[in-house]
Amino acid sequence: MNFTELSIPGVWLIEPKRFGDARGYFMESFRLDEFHAHVGPVEFVQDNESFSSRGVLRGLHFQKGEDSQAKLVRVSRGTVVDVVVDLRGGSPTFGRHIAVELSAENALQLFMPRGMAHGFVVLSDVAQFQYKVDNRYAPASEATLRFDDPALGIDWRLPHDELLLSPKDLVGLPLSEIDPF
């Protein structure tokens, strides 16, 4: 696997090696020893999966304080734009974001440490999105950062009227109202 740290410290792009022939391909999607050697020790406690149609935007979600989650995300079907926003107190990149296209075709994965808001939008007809987390879901600590906050300037690559959001995601907080953690 190739590991590349991106412009927000602690956020990594991971490219598994695929071995293919006429039958298809094989790849290791996760190896603990390689992950720890590059990223550091993270103990994942849960795997999650979502299935969404084109235009579905999930995010930008985060959990505050001790309930914060590190995540390792990938797409096993379809294509998404995956976005990470740094909300860590004292971080020189607070409020900055990274957007990466993840797809079944490119097999890229994105790791984000605790203290990040996370979301994605589906560009293909459907997408199957999988992720590991290092902390359980804690509803009392959950919050949503507004996906279209002008202070973030995120290019979701679809027209606003094609986006499908949950009621919770439509009323996320602007960056100016987020307390760094």
Side-chain angles (χ1 to χ4, degrees), residues 22-34:
R23 300 168 298 163
Y25 70 85
F26 169 84
M27 73 174 193
E28 291 179 344
S29 61
F30 180 77
R31 232 176 85 187
L32 187 64
D33 61 337
E34 281 193 48

Side-chain angles (χ1 to χ4, degrees), residues 54-66:
R54 178 178 170 79
V56 168
L57 192 156
R58 297 183 186 266
L60 296 157
H61 303 146
F62 62 97
Q63 291 186 177
K64 299 175 276 188
E66 66 183 35

Side-chain angles (χ1 to χ4, degrees), residues 145-167:
L145 178 61
R146 184 137 183 104
F147 75 98
D148 60 354
D149 184 342
L152 299 173
I154 298 170
D155 178 6
W156 292 104
R157 296 182 37 197
L158 290 177
H160 197 276
D161 63 349
E162 290 183 26
L163 301 177
L164 304 169
L165 290 99
S166 71

Side-chain angles (χ1 to χ4, degrees), residues 24 33 44-45 65-66 69 72 77 99 137 161 172:
D33 61 337
F44 294 111
V45 298
E66 66 183 35
Q69 295 176 319
L72 176 62
R77 180 178 177 190
Y137 174 62
D161 63 349

